[in-house]
Amino acid sequence: MELFNTILTTTNDFLTGYVLLIALVGGGIWFTVQTGFVQIREFRNGFRRVFGGMFRKKESGGAKKDGISSFQALTTAVAAQVGTGNLAGAATAIATGGPGAIFWMWISAFLGMATIFCEATLAQVYRTTGPDGKVTGGPVYYIRAVFKGKGGRVLAAFFAVMITLALGFFGNAVQANSITDAFHTAFFSSFNEGFQFMGELVTWDDLIIGILLAITAWLIFGGGITRIAAVTEKLVPIMACFYLVGGLIIVLLNIQNVPYMFVTIVEGAFNPQAVCGGVFGVAMKEAVKKGVARGLFSNEAGMGSTPNAHAQASVAHPVQQGQVAIVSVFIDTFLVLNMTAFVIIGTKILEPGSAAYNSDGAIKMGISLTQTAFNSVYGQAGSIFIAICMLFFAFSTILGWYFFGETNIKYLFGPKAVKPYIIVVCLFIVLGSMMKVETIWNMSDCFNSLMVVPNIIGVFALTGVVKKTYKDYRDNFLPNHPEER
């Protein structure tokens, strides 16, 4: 097992540190240039479409007949994007790359907006009706469209297997594990009664919470995308607002530190050793690597996950869902992920000698660093607040990731495979709530990285289709729909 973990870690470091960083950043630059900075040109339209959709119960071509509403597709995508990484990911990027990592996170998110526009547009262009009569779509369909024959079938099948393993199974186990860990720390830290499982102590509260999560998920999964979308369109706005308000209060209470916060981020992007008393002894390339990687893996642009949701949207033109997808990255990174970073940096807990450092002088990592920042203002209530947010964020991600896996399971094995898939996902949720083994995290990361490769190849190959579709939107669709301007 130790050897297996070493192999997984080495593979992950190579993929995330070199292959994916080059492919996703390079892709973001390419798509930005090819679409004429679409993330700037279409942001206003996407913003209007998203937040206008919040107040419309149904849109033309409703969910029963032709997929789900554009807003529901967005919330399903955001549900998957906004997960434990938004609470722990920014903290990890700061702890390992310094505050300057946040600047590079912004850059990667800006580029990712163009990438995700292309993904969502292609998902709409190549969506189809499955054997069960329901709308379906995603990377497997546009990969097959551009690569004919056996090569296309193999590439699409590889993607389908990787996303199912990465998100549907191991990813959802990780999310369940994050929920039980947060709740144990906040509410059951003094309770250590339980049993041994795979060499680890599993407390009874972990098992009970895992079972409750699996039962709740089962009830939602059984209703398909219609029920999942109905839940996410209510859950996502509530959870995002709850976290943003809680974080904003801390920022406002430390309003005098806002200039310090931005100076630290910008200066740390180019000279990490110069900030926070020189405690961040990392090179600029490490700040870039950690920030870009965290931004890319948080908003999932280029990974091929969210197109499965965007394909479901009922819109008049494919570009309209591309506009909405741009805003999903903005919500994930520039709102939610940024709030975590602003709280950590704005409370000045990164200064030497603060509670953010362990007894051995090492800075805390991940969710522990985030909890420390919130506890600095809210006291022990900060840990409870983070536990509640973790429940919202991680469970919403379970819903989104389940559906992404379901889409690809149906592609591989047909609609009859959905019920067995639900059973296996729920088992992984229970197992994940009990397992504290590093392997499950490493396997999820590895499969997560591998699924990017066939997706980004497909999107690159279809750049011309994206440009043609966008031109059609501007030259033909807009003149006949002045309300869209």
Side-chain angles (χ1 to χ4, degrees):
M1 185 62 72
E2 186 177 342
L3 175 62
F4 185 54
N5 266 321
T6 301
I7 294 171
L8 285 174
T9 302
T10 303
T11 304
N12 288 337
D13 288 344
F14 176 74
L15 288 172
T16 58
Y18 299 97
V19 179
L20 300 188
L21 210 58
I22 294 170
L24 292 178
V25 173
I29 295 172
W30 170 260
F31 300 130
T32 295
V33 173
Q34 290 296 309
T35 58
F37 287 82
V38 70
Q39 61 269 65
I40 297 175
R41 298 170 70 180
E42 298 298 335
F43 181 80
R44 183 181 67 86
N45 287 330
F47 194 86
R48 175 173 53 84
R49 187 170 301 284
V50 168
F51 292 98
M54 289 181 66
F55 305 102
R56 291 195 298 271
K57 294 190 73 173
K58 289 185 179 180
E59 297 179 10
S60 58
K64 290 184 179 179
K65 187 176 180 181
D66 188 22
I68 57 179
S69 74
S70 180
F71 180 70
Q72 288 177 322
L74 169 92
T75 55
T76 303
V78 172
Q81 291 168 301
V82 178
T84 57
N86 292 78
L87 298 179
T92 299
I94 292 170
T96 55
I102 302 304
F103 176 86
W104 300 111
M105 186 182 73
W106 296 341
I107 300 298
S108 69
F110 176 76
L111 296 174
M113 286 178 169
T115 304
I116 210 164
F117 170 84
C118 297
E119 289 181 293
T121 300
L122 290 173
Q124 280 285 318
V125 170
Y126 293 103
R127 75 179 194 155
T128 185
T129 301
D132 54 359
K134 296 180 180 178
V135 172
T136 188
V140 289
Y141 295 96
Y142 56 69
I143 289 171
R144 286 291 304 275
V146 68
F147 299 113
K148 308 294 184 182
K150 185 177 180 180
R153 291 196 300 270
V154 171
L155 203 61
F158 178 77
F159 173 85
V161 171
M162 289 300 104
I163 191 173
T164 302
L165 292 173
L167 306 186
F169 296 155
F170 293 102
N172 279 336
V174 167
Q175 298 298 325
N177 183 268
S178 298
I179 294 173
T180 54
D181 272 357
F183 267 71
H184 184 81
T185 300
F187 301 106
F188 307 104
S189 57
S190 61
F191 182 77
N192 290 305
E193 295 294 328
F195 58 95
Q196 291 289 320
F197 179 72
M198 294 187 69
E200 298 282 349
L201 173 66
V202 178
T203 57
W204 292 115
D205 59 280
D206 286 346
L207 179 61
I208 292 170
I209 292 172
I211 292 173
L212 290 175
L213 285 173
I215 292 172
T216 306
W218 178 292
L219 295 173
I220 298 173
F221 295 163
I225 184 57
T226 303
R227 188 176 298 170
I228 291 171
V231 172
T232 59
E233 75 172 336
K234 298 176 180 65
L235 180 61
V236 167
I238 292 172
M239 75 177 194
C241 289
F242 182 70
Y243 183 67
L244 290 174
V245 169
L248 184 61
I249 291 172
I250 295 178
V251 173
L252 291 176
L253 290 174
N254 292 275
I255 193 71
Q256 73 279 3
N257 294 335
V258 169
Y260 159 86
M261 180 176 67
F262 282 101
V263 168
T264 301
I265 290 173
V266 175
E267 186 175 2
F270 303 96
N271 187 13
Q273 294 91 340
V275 302
C276 300
V279 297
F280 293 98
V282 297
M284 177 182 163
K285 68 175 183 179
E286 195 66 17
V288 175
K289 177 182 173 181
K290 299 300 182 182
V292 170
R294 181 62 266 153
L296 291 171
F297 280 95
S298 174
N299 58 57
E300 300 186 22
M303 296 179 66
S305 52
T306 60
N308 295 279
H310 291 302
Q312 298 284 325
S314 177
V315 290
H317 194 281
V319 166
Q320 292 177 322
Q321 196 59 27
Q323 295 167 343
V324 168
I326 289 172
V327 179
S328 74
V329 174
F330 176 81
I331 293 171
D332 171 81
T333 303
F334 289 103
L335 291 184
V336 182
L337 199 64
N338 257 0
M339 186 56 71
T340 302
F342 290 165
V343 168
I344 291 172
I345 300 171
T347 52
K348 288 192 172 183
I349 65 166
L350 298 177
E351 297 292 331
S354 76
Y357 296 85
N358 297 314
S359 56
D360 61 358
I363 191 169
K364 294 179 179 178
M365 301 287 289
I367 198 67
S368 296
L369 184 57
T370 305
Q371 285 177 320
T372 301
F374 276 83
N375 287 346
S376 69
V377 174
Y378 295 136
Q380 188 56 34
S383 292
I384 296 174
F385 176 82
I386 293 298
I388 294 171
C389 290
M390 185 69 78
L391 173 63
F392 280 148
F393 284 24
F395 187 72
S396 70
T397 299
I398 287 173
L399 297 181
W401 283 1
Y402 159 82
F403 175 69
F404 299 162
E406 181 197 277
T407 300
N408 289 275
I409 281 289
K410 288 199 293 186
Y411 170 79
L412 290 170
F413 306 110
K416 291 183 179 179
V418 172
K419 287 186 179 179
Y421 170 67
I422 292 176
I423 295 172
V424 177
V425 171
C426 289
L427 286 175
F428 267 88
I429 290 173
V430 175
L431 288 173
S433 69
M434 298 189 297
M435 294 178 69
K436 305 295 186 291
V437 184
E438 183 184 5
T439 307
I440 196 168
W441 292 79
N442 289 335
M443 291 183 73
S444 177
D445 287 344
C446 189
F447 293 134
N448 214 32
S449 300
L450 289 172
M451 77 188 209
V452 174
V453 177
N455 175 67
I456 206 70
I457 290 173
V459 181
F460 262 115
L462 290 167
T463 303
V465 175
V466 175
K467 292 172 67 175
K468 182 179 178 181
T469 306
Y470 188 35
K471 186 176 187 301
D472 175 72
Y473 172 78
R474 298 184 66 85
D475 295 347
N476 301 318
F477 183 80
L478 283 182
N480 295 316
H481 297 81
E483 73 280 0
E484 291 290 322
R485 298 178 182 176

